Amino acid sequence: MTRYAMVVDLDRCQGCRACMEACKIENNTTESMFWMYVFRFEEGSFPDTKMSFLPRPCQHCHNAPCVKVCPTGSRFKREDGIVLTDSDRCIGCRYCELACPYGVNYFNWQKPEKAYYSGEGGIDWADPDLEGVTGGAVPAYKNPELDKLWGTEKRRTAGGGHAKGVMEKCTFCVQRVEQSLLPACVDTCPVTALRFGDVDDAETPISRFIREKDPWHLLEEAGTEPNVFYVGGKPPSHAYKEVERPKARAAT
Amino acid sequence: MTTEVDHPSARSDRLPQGVGDLTTPWKAFVLGALVVLGFGVFAYIWELSQGMVVTGMRNVGSMGGASWGLYITMVVYFIGVSFAGMTVAALIRLFNLNDLKPIARFAEVLTVVALLLGALAIIVDLGQPLRGIINLFRYARPQSPFFGTFSLVIAGYLFASLVFLYLSGRRDAAVMARYPSRLQWFHRLWAAGYSHTPEEQARHRRTTFWLALAIIPLLIIAHSTLGFVFGLQVGRPGWYGTLQAPAFVVLAGVSGLGNIIVLAAIVRWAVGAGDRIEMKVFSWLGRFLMILLFVYLYFMTVELLTLLYATPEVEKQLSDALLGGRYAWLYWGSVALLVISAVLLVWQVLQGRWRMSWLVAIGIAVNLAAIGKRYLIVVPSQTHGTLLPYETGSYSPSWVEYSVVLGLFALGALLVGLFFKAFPALPLSEEEVMSDV
């Protein structure tokens, strides 16, 4: 049985946020929605400061609190460990978001077409010059793989911006994994800080990598048993101060 | 059936307790409620068309908001209010508290109306409301604490309450149906052939007894599951705890009793039934409220001490925000209202004298405090003390949320007002039953 997992190597991560960008392009996520989020932390006070980085995808927990609380079974865990949202079934109660200790869920507060960076100082999609290129499509390019039905369950689980009033989160790029590709963030990372693979098979590179290192999980104490492993660095503490936050409060 | 022939001059204004008598103040009240309700509906349509971006809610974590806000606060509050109505009605039936019988009817009505409002408050909070109504039943998952809140509370408990209200009102419906009026069809429909024979009476007494006996555990379970919605979650600071469920039940009782007291005072005034709802009814309600208030204050103190004594970092951020930070005014304001209410109740018990004005003020005060406490359970745990070191968030309700919530209150007032123009607010007295028949 396959069990997909991701390893984040904090000794390698340089906080460039290319993974966040790759995720946005692959999954067409709307403004302020970061399925992959990279914290930039500052520790200590000047001049004794230290910077560190922490990529935070969905942890695809084995004991996922979001799956437990979903009242309709829209949030579910596949046999291979990927936790997904059926955007056709979600009723938008946002309970999963509050059950999750990691803050990885993002709700579509408005029609996705209205939320593609068109707010104040953003893109004017109706601009004639721009429309000549996009043909009026918002966003200009929408990944056609996202609307397909994936996996044995054949539900609409991939990709962002499906509908107003439903929940979304990182899917481990299920549309790519199903085609034996790596998730977009892993594929993009310029320093191989992110690794992805099957940890059920002891001979895969990722399994061997985990065996060599001493991996830890985010918020181990929450008992969620994540399928995202961290190596190197140390767990974030509340002595850390987050700096250089991306603009994240969605347009009103 | 022959009454119409016997009393050809009988007019609708002769119905007891002002039923069917559309007075000017009543019309003004209905008009006012309709205006507020209309604005609430407008605000909700705006929310439906624009998406929930028009509310003050945003994602927790990187977006720095709160994903549950005023709506969920009101869900918890409304369902809480419903608790006391049915509990009081069931206790009256189970222990034959004859002195309290006059308040049983509107206690039941309060439960039904509050539950409807709670259900509507859930619907307005959903991103996909139509899908919600279908999927919550079609794909219901009893493992989710939300199942208890929606499917169990709304379907089971609302239905049981409606049946109880229906059965306990049949005698009066049968009496009312003898009067010719525009509402006669309604009373006939309700009576459904009931004619108050000894066998029917005995059967009704038996049925309502067992129903009352079954409803009380159902109520406790339903309100506990509402506490479980929060109490089972480790993902947010301040939620996880064994005290959540019992504290929910007790605070539900406090707010509901406060509502019954206020409603009893209004009915007493509107129907002119000063002699029917005696002061000893208020004394009983006041004592019951006092006991529940003390239990709640005890729970609150225990919770506070636990929070302060052994505090992990995230819980400390939360308690700082509650006790001395952004939410301190609301926290201490709510606590003050509860403590002052408790003190005033004790004072009246010691004096052995109950003042109507004090009781109404206490009823309103404990409800404001209950809304405040519900808000403090729902919101601060999202904006403060996130488990990963996100920046502190913020949430304040938008005009849409305020309008929708006010609209819900107006709808509740309207339903109660309409019901008591169609049906007597107090169970008919023996004189009312005998006269005109």
Side-chain angles (χ1 to χ4, degrees), chain B residues 177-245:
Chain B
R178 296 180 199 160
Y179 295 87
S181 76
R182 275 172 299 174
L183 291 161
Q184 202 173 20
W185 63 271
F186 172 65
H187 300 133
R188 275 191 185 150
L189 191 69
W190 189 322
Y194 184 81
S195 52
H196 208 49
T197 59
E199 302 87 69
E200 280 174 330
Q201 282 183 53
R203 198 188 314 139
H204 263 72
R205 285 188 57 77
R206 235 177 12 250
T207 317
T208 48
F209 177 84
W210 288 108
L211 194 55
L213 200 61
I215 274 180
I216 288 195
L218 180 65
L219 284 175
I220 305 276
I221 295 169
H223 285 270
S224 300
T225 61
L226 199 57
F228 285 155
V229 167
F230 304 93
L232 300 181
Q233 302 308 322
V234 291
R236 306 246 80 79
W239 278 10
Y240 185 73
T242 41
L243 215 49
Q244 287 282 23

Side-chain angles (χ1 to χ4, degrees), chain A residues 56 68-70 72 87 89-95 97-98 102 106-107 109 164 238 248-249 252, chain B residues 48 52-53 58-60 62-64 67-68 125 127-128 131 135 139 141 144 229 236 317 386-387 390:
Chain A
R56 183 238 60 196
K68 284 200 247 178
V69 301
C70 179
T72 62
S87 60
R89 192 188 280 194
C90 175
I91 61 171
C93 72
R94 311 188 293 292
Y95 198 1
E97 176 172 350
L98 298 182
Y102 305 99
Y106 292 89
F107 186 69
W109 295 100
K164 152 184 105 177
H238 280 83
R249 186 99 182 176
T252 45
Chain B
L48 267 185
M52 298 186 80
V53 70
R58 291 296 181 272
N59 290 125
V60 295
S62 70
M63 210 184 259
S67 191
W68 280 359
D125 188 61
Q128 292 276 352
R131 222 190 254 181
N135 289 6
Y139 300 115
R141 285 181 73 250
S144 168
V229 167
R236 306 246 80 79
Q317 285 185 22
T386 47
L387 268 59
Y390 291 106

Side-chain angles (χ1 to χ4, degrees), chain B residues 322 327 330-331 334 371-381:
Chain B
L322 284 177
Y327 300 102
L330 189 56
Y331 185 87
S334 304
I371 295 176
K373 289 293 287 179
R374 300 313 197 189
Y375 186 87
L376 291 171
I377 290 167
V378 175
V379 175
S381 296

